Amino acid sequence: MSAYKSDFLRVLAERGFIHQVSDADGLDARAAAGAITAYVGFDATAPSLHIGNLLTIMMLRWLQKTGHKPIALMGGGTSKIGDPSGKDTSRSLLTTEQIDANIASIRKVFARFLDFGAGAIMANNADWLDRLHYIPFLREVGRHFTINKMLTFDSVKLRLDREQPLTFLEFNYMILQAYDFVELQQRHGCILQMGGSDQWGNIVNGIDLGRRTNDFELFGLTTPLLAASRTVVPATAITVCSVPASRTRSPTASRPGRCGRLPALTSDHLPVPAARTSVAGPSRSRITSATSSWRHIR
């Protein structure tokens, strides 16, 4: 779509955020007509977020700045499984206490980007996933998914192509993520799920589930992945940033070699899709200040 009417999509397009949209005309019309509610999901598998999360965080920020309602969905439930997307092996299983501590830490990060006093919401999918009953869930939700289709999604197919094991636990992840979308629509009137381009299949699953179960009109939007300049691995697998100051060596220090300098970025705009980071090898897993990347992306 060449020209968006809504401020929200126009701003995202100007900054190179948009990779895919399920129905650009329909979403643009809804966003231009009035306030919409949208969400991005974040699993709490660590006490901080990665540099790859910055794009989706900024989508939420711009959503609120253009008059809409953002939801940061914490995966208190799905973090007990772990998203298999882009992973060759299963994630280590975390305890409920570890997940809760991670969520508390990550909330401090979001408080810097979203205004929770002005309508932004931080939800936790453990509030509904932990209460599901297995047999009723299979009958009401599981029947809308076919193994044939699930095997075609990258999160499954790539793992199997590499002859790496995929557990039944992980195989259920895409169903739970789809269910999250429907649940957020029922609870908060959420009509849009956003995420990185690697989440497209999971987002489409949620759109389809909402249509099949409740005749909802839902939308999906993805952003390009930030990737390391020397590899094709998403930056989310490489470096961590945007953590509370207490977790960093200096809350104001700029460490471009450790959090990743983004040479194609200016202080005002994101680049065109396929922006790359330059990540120093020995220290690439170091937790650094949000300031290091915030000055590039805003």
Side-chain angles (χ1 to χ4, degrees):
M1 186 170 178
S2 58
Y4 292 106
K5 297 178 181 178
S6 64
D7 290 340
F8 171 57
L9 290 182
R10 186 166 58 249
V11 167
L12 294 195
E14 289 172 352
R15 284 159 171 76
F17 282 137
I18 299 176
H19 180 67
Q20 295 162 296
V21 187
S22 61
D23 177 5
D25 291 329
L27 177 59
D28 190 41
R30 294 287 292 270
I36 65 170
T37 301
Y39 88 99
V40 178
F42 302 88
D43 274 348
T45 53
S48 64
L49 296 174
H50 298 81
I51 191 171
N53 294 123
L54 275 175
L55 293 181
T56 51
I57 292 172
M58 293 311 300
M59 286 199 294
L60 290 174
R61 178 176 173 83
W62 278 109
L63 180 80
Q64 186 170 33
K65 290 181 70 173
T66 52
H68 305 285
K69 186 174 184 177
I71 299 175
L73 177 65
M74 301 311 301
T78 46
S79 294
K80 297 172 183 176
I81 297 175
D83 186 356
S85 299
K87 300 293 181 182
D88 287 331
T89 59
S90 300
R91 294 179 184 269
S92 299
L93 295 181
L94 302 178
T95 66
T96 299
E97 291 73 22
Q98 288 173 312
I99 293 171
D100 289 344
N102 289 343
I103 290 175
S105 179
I106 292 172
R107 183 180 176 89
K108 298 174 184 177
V109 174
F110 277 103
R112 302 181 182 183
F113 297 90
L114 301 178
D115 188 348
F116 290 107
I121 295 173
M122 177 168 279
N124 186 340
N125 64 16
D127 292 344
W128 52 86
L129 294 183
D130 284 0
R131 293 175 172 80
L132 290 176
H133 295 283
Y134 189 59
I135 298 301
F137 181 74
L138 290 180
R139 286 176 57 88
E140 296 168 15
V141 177
R143 64 189 179 92
H144 296 293
F145 294 81
T146 66
I147 296 297
N148 312 62
K149 184 177 179 180
M150 293 170 74
L151 289 174
T152 67
F153 286 105
D154 284 347
S155 59
V156 174
K157 186 175 183 298
L158 294 179
R159 181 80 71 84
L160 298 181
D161 286 346
R162 298 187 189 105
E163 298 184 354
Q164 299 290 341
L166 180 75
T167 66
F168 178 73
L169 183 68
E170 295 172 290
F171 196 60
N172 281 271
Y173 188 93
M174 67 179 74
I175 300 178
L176 298 180
Q177 183 171 334
Y179 184 77
D180 282 344
F181 199 174
V182 176
E183 186 71 22
L184 287 174
Q185 205 291 329
Q186 293 174 324
R187 289 175 176 241
H188 302 289
C190 182
I191 65 166
L192 171 64
Q193 180 181 176
M194 302 184 292
S197 59
D198 60 336
Q199 293 298 311
W200 181 249
N202 291 334
I203 291 173
V204 170
N205 271 338
I207 293 172
D208 187 54
L209 181 63
R211 178 183 58 81
R212 289 173 178 269
T213 58
N214 297 283
D215 200 27
F216 291 149
E217 182 184 26
L218 304 176
F219 302 90
L221 187 156
T222 63
T223 189
L225 294 179
L226 283 177
S229 59
R230 301 174 196 171
T231 70
V232 294
V233 180
T236 50
I238 295 174
T239 186
V240 184
C241 69
S242 298
V243 295
S246 61
R247 297 276 301 178
T248 68
R249 293 194 173 192
S250 169
T252 58
S254 176
R255 303 176 183 271
R258 292 174 178 171
C259 195
R261 182 183 296 280
L262 308 179
L265 296 175
T266 71
S267 61
D268 299 313
H269 296 85
L270 276 169
V272 295
R276 302 275 175 183
T277 64
S278 177
V279 181
S283 56
R284 64 186 186 178
S285 63
R286 187 183 301 279
I287 296 178
T288 64
S289 168
T291 311
S292 300
S293 292
W294 170 249
R295 64 191 181 92
H296 293 296
I297 304 177
R298 62 184 179 190

